[in-house]
């Protein structure tokens, strides 16, 4: 039995902290000049992800600058399709591009296991980060949820409402289910391997959970993530797991009923009274400052930070954004936010 002493691990064990631990989704990234410099040197984004020394360095940059309570491993959810043999590229300013998996016949011939040598550098990056992490800071590993990863694999890029994946799920349910099954399997192993390499918690990003109607939400968001949590805990019974079903809204209670995670990360549209009544009594909550107010700064930012604390910090809570930090965000706004959270 491990005894957590890091504030964020305490919260994930159900112990409220007087000052909530804080980290930001996408805290390692383009709003940091030191990230931009390293990314230029690396050449490609995937090179950055798959060179352990560089991935570790980028992971640690926001910890050194801001003293966040958690580091999130620098990588991307699309390294999994890459390891499944799909072509993935990231062009600056364009977002990811994949060769579309847009027909049932292409899914039938998709390989069912990852090339282990492709993901090995990720585990090495975990080990390197752990060596240099300050004692109170926890390392979070991650993967994309099967639904969200499938939406990018099918469309080949992000789209406004991920219609291509929804279309395939309705018109070719067997092929679609096969793709989800493959992603459940490889994601389970991927998360367990990150934890074995030293990640102290993992987060499952379901960025596109909010585009599905209830029946499909249950089939393609709740069920697959539930299976991943079960698979990981079968190997590592005390694995700490956070899920981020962005846009789940009124489905959050059924989500936390169906998926036995240690914390649920909520987006900025969540209704506070509803979350306090129906979600917080069951699991720790993480979130949910609007990334746009972090960009705006000033009084609006101070008010929004206070609102998040008032709404959620009386129960086990991790302060975070409601989605990733935007590249244009001024560093001073991040500093101001951390100071306000910690002023107590
Ligand atoms: O700091 C961290 O949070 C760790 C690193 C991380 C990245 N992507 C780095 C990245 C994490 C956890 C992710 C998750 C991710 N990637 C998600 C889920 C969370 C979310 O934000 O919704 C998704 C959907 C992706 C897929 C992806 N990767 C997109 C849509 C894009 C382009 C949009 C964008 O923000 O640029 C990426 C590229 C990406 N992933 C960058 C970074 C730092 C920018 C690449 C660059 O430097 O040019």
């Amino acid at each position: 039995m491990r005894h957590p002493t890091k504030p964020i691990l305490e919260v994930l064990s159900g112990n409220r902290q007087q000052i909530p631990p804080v980290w930001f989704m996408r805290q390692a990234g383009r709003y940091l000049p030191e990230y931009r410099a390293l990314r230029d040197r690396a050449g490609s984004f995937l090179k950055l992800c798959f060179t352990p020394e560089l991935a570790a360095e980028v992971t640690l940059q926001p910890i050194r600058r801001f003293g966040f309570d958690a580091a999130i491993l620098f990588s991307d959810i699309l390294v999994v399709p890459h390891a499944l043999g799909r072509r993935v590229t990231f062009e600056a300013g364009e977002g990811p591009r994949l060769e579309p998996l847009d027909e049932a016949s292409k899914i039938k011939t998709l390989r069912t296991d990852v090339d282990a040598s492709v993901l090995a550098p990720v585990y090495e990056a975990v080990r390197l980060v752990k060596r240099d992490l300050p004692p109170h800071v926890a390392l979070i590993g991650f993967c994309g949820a099967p639904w969200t990863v499938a939406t990018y694999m099918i469309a080949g890029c992000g789209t406004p409402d991920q219609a291509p994946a929804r279309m395939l799920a309705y018109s070719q349910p067997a092929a679609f289910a096969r793709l989800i099954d493959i992603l459940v399997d490889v994601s389970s192993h991927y998360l367990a391997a990150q934890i074995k390499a030293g990640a102290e918690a993992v987060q499952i990003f379901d960025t596109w959970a909010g585009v599905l109607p209830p029946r499909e939400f249950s089939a393609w968001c709740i069920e697959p993530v539930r299976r991943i949590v079960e698979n990981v805990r079968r190997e590592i019974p005390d694995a700490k797991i956070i899920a981020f079903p962005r846009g789940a809204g009124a489905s959050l209670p059924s989500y936390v009923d169906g998926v036995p995670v240690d914390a649920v990360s909520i987006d900025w549209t969540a209704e506070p009274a509803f979350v306090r009544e129906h979600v917080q009594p069951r699991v720790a909550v993480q979130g949910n400052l609007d990334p746009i107010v972090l960009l705006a700064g000033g009084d609006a930012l101070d008010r929004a930070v206070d609102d998040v604390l008032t709404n959620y910090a009386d129960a086990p809570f991790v302060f975070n954004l409601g989605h990733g930090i935007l590249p244009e965000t001024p560093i001073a706004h991040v500093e101001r936010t951390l100071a306000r959270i910690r002023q107590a």
Side-chain angles (χ1 to χ4, degrees), residues 82-303:
H82 174 74
L84 282 169
R86 307 303 295 171
R87 201 173 54 241
V88 182
T89 58
F90 294 84
E91 299 303 331
E94 275 194 31
R97 291 286 178 275
L98 295 83
E99 52 181 319
L101 197 67
D102 47 6
E103 285 164 33
S105 60
K106 293 186 189 168
I107 294 177
K108 281 205 190 86
T109 56
L110 181 68
R111 62 186 287 172
T112 57
D113 58 350
V114 296
D115 180 346
S117 69
V118 172
L119 295 177
V122 175
Y123 313 133
E124 183 55 24
V126 169
R127 283 186 279 270
L128 292 180
V129 172
K130 274 304 277 296
R131 216 183 46 195
D132 288 343
L133 213 55
H136 75 281
V137 180
L139 176 59
I140 301 176
F142 71 94
C143 71
W147 161 249
T148 286
V149 174
T151 65
Y152 287 99
M153 291 180 80
I154 291 165
C157 56
T159 67
D161 54 9
Q162 302 297 57
R166 283 154 58 207
M167 182 67 190
L168 199 79
Y170 290 125
S171 57
Q172 302 282 350
F176 186 77
R178 175 182 154 83
L179 174 58
I180 292 291
D181 286 348
I182 292 171
L183 290 170
V184 165
D185 195 47
V186 301
S187 306
S188 303
H189 287 114
Y190 183 49
L191 290 183
Q194 290 180 48
I195 296 170
K196 285 178 189 160
E200 295 158 290
V202 289
Q203 177 153 323
I204 303 172
F205 287 91
D206 217 346
T207 302
W208 290 100
V211 300
L212 290 173
R215 178 196 294 275
E216 283 68 31
F217 178 80
S218 173
W220 307 129
C221 292
I222 294 183
E223 269 307 295
V225 177
R226 184 186 62 73
R227 286 162 59 201
I228 291 176
V229 171
E230 267 177 22
N231 290 341
V232 172
R233 294 239 176 92
R234 198 172 305 121
E235 251 186 277
I236 306 159
D238 60 352
K240 293 289 171 215
I241 307 179
I242 308 166
F244 175 49
R246 185 172 72 112
S251 299
L252 277 171
S254 53
Y255 190 85
V256 298
D257 269 354
V259 186
V261 285
D262 302 287
V264 66
S265 199
I266 58 173
D267 66 74
W268 66 90
T269 65
E271 213 292 303
F274 179 81
V275 170
R276 274 199 304 271
E277 186 177 345
H278 299 291
V279 183
Q280 259 187 323
R282 280 126 126 160
V283 287
V285 160
Q286 172 178 280
N288 72 341
L289 189 74
D290 184 352
I292 297 286
V293 85
L294 186 62
L295 182 61
D299 290 346
L301 174 58
D302 291 348
R303 237 184 0 257

